[in-house]
């Protein structure tokens, strides 16, 4: 048996450690490759239908283990369909994030657009959603501080959305509650926007920081 592990998350590492068979890890980003290739056999590739099918055949893959981010719906749908077409097993190892908090300042929305509409009600917003959907916040970017991974492409996306360099914090997380509190106090944030990422994504630390600073926590549950 040889498993293709669609990776890139902290949960991927935990899953890989439990494997007792041959495997190969694939990640879509430079950051993922730098992180995983140090410890596991890793290939950086962004799959489409043709490349995923070719990869499976070339490497003799007999099962796909999906450990991608809960929001990475495109690759998950592609993996399910490709596994079905080729007659191999699809293993859903995606974490199921839960919102387990009674903080009254939590605002739950489904889409990035809804999050932007809610964020528009506040004066200083900390965005912790990455850069891929930063364009949804273009209309209010002037009142936002954006925390992203330290990559040129991520910074460029923020710049294209209208963010000035002084509004961009490029750092690798996840971050502690104390760090979040300090940052939110520094920028006088009265709201934070995050995805429903679960424990490994630092969600609870963000919620706790919002509670400490009495800021709203806008949580995006959909894509």
């Amino acid at each position: 048996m040889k498993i293709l592990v669609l990776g890139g998350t902290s949960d991927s590492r935990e899953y890989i450690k439990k494997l007792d068979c041959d495997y190969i890890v694939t990640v879509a980003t430079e950051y993922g490759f730098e992180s995983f290739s140090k410890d596991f056999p890793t290939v950086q590739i962004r799959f489409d239908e043709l490349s995923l099918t070719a990869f499976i055949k070339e490497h003799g893959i007999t099962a796909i283990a999906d450990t991608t981010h809960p929001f990475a719906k495109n690759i998950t749908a592609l993996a399910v369909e490709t596994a079905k077409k080729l007659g191999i097993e699809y293993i859903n190892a995606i974490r199921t994030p839960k919102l387990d908090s009674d903080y009254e300042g939590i605002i739950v929305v489904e889409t990035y657009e809804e999050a932007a509409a809610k964020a528009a009600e506040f004066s200083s917003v900390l965005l912790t959603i990455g850069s891929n959907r930063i364009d949804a916040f273009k209309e209010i970017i002037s009142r936002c501080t954006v925390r992203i991974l330290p990559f040129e492409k991520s910074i460029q996306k923020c710049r294209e959305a209208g963010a000035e360099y002084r509004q961009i914090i490029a750092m690798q997380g996840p971050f502690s509650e104390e760090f979040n509190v300090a940052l939110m106090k520094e920028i006088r944030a009265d709201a934070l926007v995050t995805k429903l990422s679960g424990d490994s994504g630092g969600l609870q630390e963000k919620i706790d920081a919002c509670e400490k600073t009495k800021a709203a926590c806008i949580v995006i549950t959909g894509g």
Side-chain angles (χ1 to χ4, degrees), residues 102-123:
D102 57 3
Y103 175 47
E104 295 180 355
I106 293 176
I107 302 171
V108 177
V109 297
E110 184 175 353
T111 68
Y112 289 87
E113 290 73 21
E114 289 178 287
K118 286 292 184 182
E121 301 173 10
F122 299 91
S123 60

Side-chain angles (χ1 to χ4, degrees), residues 47 71-80:
F47 287 120
F71 278 61
K73 295 178 180 179
N74 289 340
I75 183 60
T76 292
L78 177 60
V80 170

